Amino acid sequence: PPTTSPFFQRDLAVLGPLNELLTMTYGEIIVWGVVCAWLAVAFVERYTTLTDDVSENTGYETYFGNKTRAAGKGFAQMAVRCLFLAILTPSRNVTLYQLFGIPFDRGVKQHKQIGRLFYVFMVVHVLLMLAGGTEKGPVKWSNAFNFNNPNLFAGPVALAAFLGQFFLSLPYWRRNHFETFYWLHLNFMFMGNVFLILHNRFRAVMWIIPTFAFFWLDIGVRWYTKLAKKSTLVSCEVVDQDLVRLPVHPG
């Protein structure tokens, strides 16, 4: 069971409350192991492809002699996969939860944990690209917008949207101004994802479009279920000063 120690209940930045980690089910541990391995493979594949011998499809950063940028692009691949998982995890209709016996409330906790990883990977990506140089080869800040090529201007806009989402996801907003948090959380999400696609379509769209397709499908299923099944409130009873019993007859 969760410990009542204040230290283990305190929100520890990227980790979140330690209670959330120490009370993981075996199913969650298995899923997290697979996710961490998947992220590591994504980083290694992108980094080695960019730093391999120069050929038609490899060695782009080897040609420029810049392994810092290669690492930055590797972190970008981990970030976009975390973005995919962060949108997927708070959905109620995720078969993975049923397969591994993960309760929905724990799925929401995974959403927060994976979201924290996304923010970390995104910031590291930006710092490494700034350190290695944002302009290399044909990619220039002065280039006209081209949907088939990376567009540098879209990167800072996506970064601003996701940072806005991060700061408005802090406990103060979630607990005291939930409606504001929820509305801006979704809007910053859409804005960030649109400009992320504009920033580098070929590396982002394969993760973002399927995610949003499932996002809207999940909302549709929830809405249909809400309309098709009506529950009836049977009675209302004040049990204690802080407790009200509301028996509900399911539809």
Side-chain angles (χ1 to χ4, degrees), residues 14 32 39 82 112-122:
V14 176
W32 264 107
L39 295 177
C82 283
K112 292 190 290 185
Q113 292 168 347
I114 291 172
R116 293 181 183 113
L117 279 180
F118 163 72
Y119 294 129
V120 170
F121 292 155
M122 175 188 65

Side-chain angles (χ1 to χ4, degrees), residues 47-241:
Y47 181 82
T48 54
T49 298
L50 291 168
T51 57
D52 209 344
D53 294 334
V54 178
S55 68
E56 183 179 357
N57 298 312
T58 62
Y60 184 82
E61 296 301 340
T62 300
Y63 178 79
F64 292 109
N66 199 321
K67 292 186 177 181
T68 303
R69 284 169 47 87
K73 293 179 179 180
F75 274 98
Q77 287 304 298
M78 290 196 292
V80 76
R81 283 163 173 77
C82 283
L83 187 61
F84 163 78
L85 293 173
I87 297 173
L88 197 66
T89 44
S91 303
R92 288 187 179 275
N93 300 286
V94 178
T95 308
L96 201 62
Y97 294 161
Q98 285 78 23
L99 289 176
F100 288 91
I102 301 174
F104 174 71
D105 64 311
R106 295 293 302 180
V108 175
K109 296 181 187 299
Q110 310 309 323
H111 167 71
K112 292 190 290 185
Q113 292 168 347
I114 291 172
R116 293 181 183 113
L117 279 180
F118 163 72
Y119 294 129
V120 170
F121 292 155
M122 175 188 65
V123 171
V124 173
H125 161 70
V126 171
L127 293 176
L128 289 175
M129 297 307 288
L130 290 173
T134 54
E135 292 189 344
K136 292 293 180 183
V139 181
K140 306 288 184 183
W141 285 98
S142 58
N143 288 354
F145 172 74
N146 188 333
F147 197 57
N148 292 318
N149 291 320
N151 297 284
L152 293 179
F153 81 90
V157 181
L159 175 65
F162 286 126
L163 288 179
Q165 183 188 53
F166 168 76
F167 287 114
L168 288 171
S169 297
L170 295 175
Y172 169 79
W173 294 100
R174 293 201 317 270
R175 294 169 185 170
N176 300 303
H177 305 281
F178 183 80
E179 293 80 7
T180 301
F181 148 73
Y182 189 72
W183 188 82
L184 289 175
H185 194 75
L186 292 179
N187 279 274
F188 277 132
M189 176 187 70
F190 282 109
M191 180 180 175
N193 278 280
V194 168
F195 279 90
L196 186 59
I197 291 175
L198 297 179
H199 181 52
N200 194 337
R201 177 169 69 96
F202 293 108
R203 296 289 172 183
V205 74
M206 68 185 73
W207 299 108
I208 293 174
I209 297 300
T211 306
F212 277 103
F214 187 88
F215 175 82
W216 286 112
L217 177 63
D218 179 68
I219 290 180
V221 171
R222 292 194 204 186
W223 185 253
Y224 173 78
T225 304
K226 181 180 179 181
L227 292 177
K229 295 182 179 180
K230 298 292 184 180
S231 299
T232 305
L233 180 62
V234 177
S235 63
C236 177
E237 178 186 356
V238 178
V239 179
D240 198 356
Q241 180 180 354

